[in-house]
Every structure is written in C-alpha cells, then in structure tokens.
C-alpha cells in the first residue's frame, strides 16, 4: 500500500504571520520579522539605485517595487514522519520527524524589515510568503480509519523553491532570496511492500529513511 495526497497550495498573502521559531538559521529572517543586523558591507545596489538603508522601512516607502528573478527548484524535503503500529490490536504511534516548514528571506547583506513588504513580495514571486506548513496533524488524519493489523509509515513533504528578488523604494534598493515552497505531499506507506517509486519522489525518500530494515 502506498497512498498519498499532493496539493499545490499558494494561499493569499498577508493572512497568517510567519512563526519566527521555525526560522532559526543564521542570516535567515522570517518574512514578517525585524530588521536584520547590520553587516560590515552593504549589498550591491540594484541598477540605478543606492544601497539599502533604513529608509526602506520608513513611512515614505508606501509603494515598494519588487522584481522577481527566475525561480529555482530545491527538491523535496521531508518535514514529518510517523509510524502507526496496530499489529498488537492496539494503536502505537512513533514520531520520527516533526519540522514545520515556513517561508523565509535572506538578504544580500543588510536588508529592511519585511513586515510591511510581505504582501508585495508574495504578489511578485507568485509563491507563499506566509503560512507555516505543519506535518503531523495531516498524517494523523490520514491514519484515521486504519484498522487492519499493520505497521504504516506516514510522511509529509514540501517541494522547496527559491526566488531571487530586488526591492526598490525611490532611489534605495536591496536584493535578497525568498525560500518557500510550491507543492505539498502527504502519504502512507506499507514498508513490507517493495518500493515502486522513482528515487526522487518524497515517498521513496521517506521509505529509505524511516522504514525499518529487514
């Protein structure tokens, strides 16, 4: 048995603040986060504009211009994995992985605070800039109704995508990269059955990493 549910989700921007706790990477800030710390050098300015300054976050920046570059696919990432064991007649669950995934922004050097620019950035790139994708809740829902004695692996994965952007207000500008997602897949795997998925698929990745050996 291999069952999965895949969806392409691009929700309206500006609906749900991004949780800062999901973004603890150095140099990475949530898209509604505070101004990043200053660096020793300013980023290379966008053509025809000066390096980014605090003015980008000022009240005079009412209509920022955001230009998106070509998106690059970062491949699938497993964000949650859990096993449901009903072989004893009772339900026993084991969580292997639970790492919610959310959009983030990395500036090329010092960048502005992004709370006022999230909507403009989302509209320009055409991908989510808000919402944190949870994993275990959806897996648990798919487990509902499984009654036959079995050991079933549930997983959830996101297909990562990165988009370079340039944000300009007046003669001030900054460059950065938005790291977000394009697709979501949630699936169930019977580890006792042989694999029949291409290695690049998230189901194959989950099987290799979390199915018991032997």
């Amino acid at each position: 048995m291999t069952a999965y549910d895949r969806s392409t989700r691009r929700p309206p921007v500006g609906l749900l603040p991004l949780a800062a706790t999901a973004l603890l990477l150095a140099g990475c800030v949530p898209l509604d986060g505070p101004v990043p710390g200053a660096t020793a050098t300013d980023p290379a300015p966008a053509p025809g504009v000066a390096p980014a300054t605090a003015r980008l976050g000022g009240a005079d920046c009412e209509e920022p211009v955001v230009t998106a570059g070509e998106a690059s696919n970062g491949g699938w990432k497993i964000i949650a994995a859990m096993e449901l064991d009903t072989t004893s007649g009772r339900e026993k669950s084991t969580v292997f992985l639970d790492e919610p995934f959310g959009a983030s922004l990395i500036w090329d050097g010092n960048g502005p605070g992004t709370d006022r620019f999230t909507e403009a950035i989302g509209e320009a790139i055409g991908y989510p800039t808000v919402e944190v994708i949870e994993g275990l809740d959806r897996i648990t829902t798919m487990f509902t109704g499984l009654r036959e004695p079995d050991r079933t692996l549930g997983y959830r994965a996101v297909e990562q995508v990165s988009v370079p952007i340039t944000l300009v207000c007046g003669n001030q500008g900054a460059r950065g990269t938005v790291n977000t997602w394009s697709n979501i897949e949630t699936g169930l795997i019977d580890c006792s059955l042989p694999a029949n998925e291409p290695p690049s698929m998230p189901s194959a990745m989950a099987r290799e990493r979390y199915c018991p050996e032997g």
Side-chain angles (χ1 to χ4, degrees), residues 159-184:
E159 190 171 20
Q160 303 170 98
V161 64
S162 297
V163 185
I165 64 167
T166 300
L167 188 151
V168 176
C169 275
N171 67 342
Q172 307 294 322
R175 287 193 178 98
T177 301
V178 179
N179 298 309
T180 180
W181 50 270
S182 57
N183 298 297
I184 306 172

Side-chain angles (χ1 to χ4, degrees), residues 59-134:
D60 57 342
C61 183
E62 297 180 358
E63 297 184 3
V65 177
V66 182
T67 303
E70 184 177 355
S72 60
N73 189 301
W76 287 94
K77 175 182 175 66
I78 306 294
I79 64 170
M82 180 170 66
E83 181 190 67
L84 179 65
D85 186 347
T86 58
T87 54
S88 66
R90 298 182 179 181
E91 294 187 354
K92 177 185 177 181
S93 59
T94 303
V95 175
F96 299 121
L97 178 68
D98 182 19
E99 296 181 354
F101 184 89
S104 63
L105 172 62
I106 300 176
W107 291 110
D108 296 345
N110 187 28
T114 55
D115 56 330
R116 296 181 57 234
F117 306 124
T118 302
E119 184 173 357
I121 293 173
E123 291 176 352
I125 69 176
Y127 292 96
T129 53
V130 294
E131 185 180 11
V132 174
I133 307 302
E134 303 287 346

